[in-house]
Amino acid sequence: MTYRVLSTKKLQPNQKMYLLNAGLSVIEADFIGIRYRDFEIHNTASNLIFTSQNGVIGFLKHKASGVFAGSSIFCVGEKTKKLLEHYGFKVVEMAHDAEKLAAILTENYATERFMFFSGSMRRETLPQALNSAGILFTEIQVYDTVLTPRHIQTKCNGLLFFSPSGVESYLKENTITDEACFCIGQTTANALTCITNKVIIANTPSIENVIVQARNYYAK
């Protein structure tokens, strides 16, 4: 039997090949899109927060981004960290999810001021934690997350999800019955609560590990 998986994000050729080499059939489509915003920066800050690569890209599109070259950076995700370092920024703290970053900031940097570059569908976890701790911050939304739902007619055995908005977009045109759902993290898995119990969460929050989980699951 050949198992078929759907990735709700288009994969890099090497990522897709890793699944194909395991004998899996792969369908892929982008269920969310990104639209970068025009925005204003009215002041500077010595501490910047990014929770995604898209936030970094949106920030870099602004002509004033170079003014922040000496700022201390706090971010979510290894790839976000690498992107920032690629452009010469100093990453002081990196966490694998917003909850862990919020804990770091509230425990160790409560007297600092921050500027948070976010997206339109960002979660409340980090802002709520900062507000509750009385930490001063300015939030600037630099991109919009756009849902791009589409109906998948082919029956799949597994679904690969990389964000809660990806789950939301998929469910607008499709239903989940007995498919195994492979999620990049707990937050994405939470979006499937009351929909399915057949959820496998990546050991580390990366596209590659979601793929590894799917490959290992069907190798059993």
Side-chain angles (χ1 to χ4, degrees):
M1 177 181 176
T2 299
Y3 294 101
R4 181 180 293 110
V5 297
L6 165 69
S7 173
T8 55
K9 173 185 179 70
K10 287 188 177 179
L11 303 172
Q12 296 296 321
N14 62 315
Q15 295 170 336
K16 183 176 180 179
M17 187 58 65
Y18 192 71
L19 292 168
L20 294 173
N21 286 342
L24 297 173
S25 175
V26 181
I27 301 173
E28 53 184 338
D30 285 325
F31 276 78
I32 60 172
I34 300 298
R35 183 172 57 239
Y36 293 103
R37 291 186 178 189
D38 293 326
F39 59 94
E40 297 295 326
I41 298 178
H42 297 293
N43 51 48
T44 59
S46 57
N47 303 294
L48 310 183
I49 300 173
F50 297 93
T51 54
S52 71
Q53 295 178 77
N54 291 320
V56 176
I57 295 169
F59 162 72
L60 291 172
K61 288 180 177 292
H62 198 285
K63 61 184 179 181
S65 60
V67 175
F68 296 88
S71 298
S72 297
I73 310 295
F74 301 80
C75 72
V76 172
E78 189 66 44
K79 289 188 176 181
T80 305
K81 179 176 182 287
K82 288 180 179 178
L83 180 61
L84 286 158
E85 290 176 339
H86 174 76
Y87 284 97
F89 291 94
K90 178 184 177 182
V91 178
V92 177
E93 299 277 5
M94 187 277 293
H96 287 301
D97 56 48
E99 288 84 354
K100 291 184 176 65
L101 183 61
I104 291 171
L105 296 177
T106 55
E107 290 172 12
N108 303 316
Y109 301 93
T111 60
E112 299 287 338
R113 291 172 177 260
F114 296 89
M115 189 171 286
F116 174 26
F117 294 92
S118 66
S120 61
M121 295 183 71
R122 65 106 175 100
R123 295 165 56 226
E124 294 292 337
T125 302
L126 192 55
Q128 284 182 349
L130 296 178
N131 282 323
S132 296
I135 297 175
L136 299 176
F137 71 98
T138 300
E139 180 177 1
I140 301 176
Q141 292 192 347
V142 299
Y143 70 94
D144 294 308
T145 300
V146 182
L147 302 186
T148 55
R150 60 201 70 203
H151 179 63
I152 303 299
Q153 295 182 334
T154 306
K155 173 65 178 176
C156 296
N157 305 101
L159 306 171
L160 278 57
F161 291 113
F162 306 99
S163 67
S165 51
V167 173
E168 180 184 353
S169 181
Y170 178 82
L171 290 173
K172 283 186 177 295
E173 297 285 344
N174 307 277
T175 57
I176 296 174
T177 54
D178 60 348
E179 300 92 339
C181 296
F182 303 90
C183 297
I184 197 167
Q186 186 62 56
T187 305
T188 301
N190 290 346
L192 293 165
T193 301
C194 300
I195 295 170
T196 179
N197 293 321
K198 208 170 182 179
V199 175
I200 299 92
I201 302 174
N203 295 330
T204 57
S206 68
I207 295 171
E208 289 76 15
N209 198 257
V210 174
I211 292 169
V212 168
Q213 296 302 320
R215 177 171 166 145
N216 290 347
Y217 183 87
Y218 292 108
K220 295 178 182 178

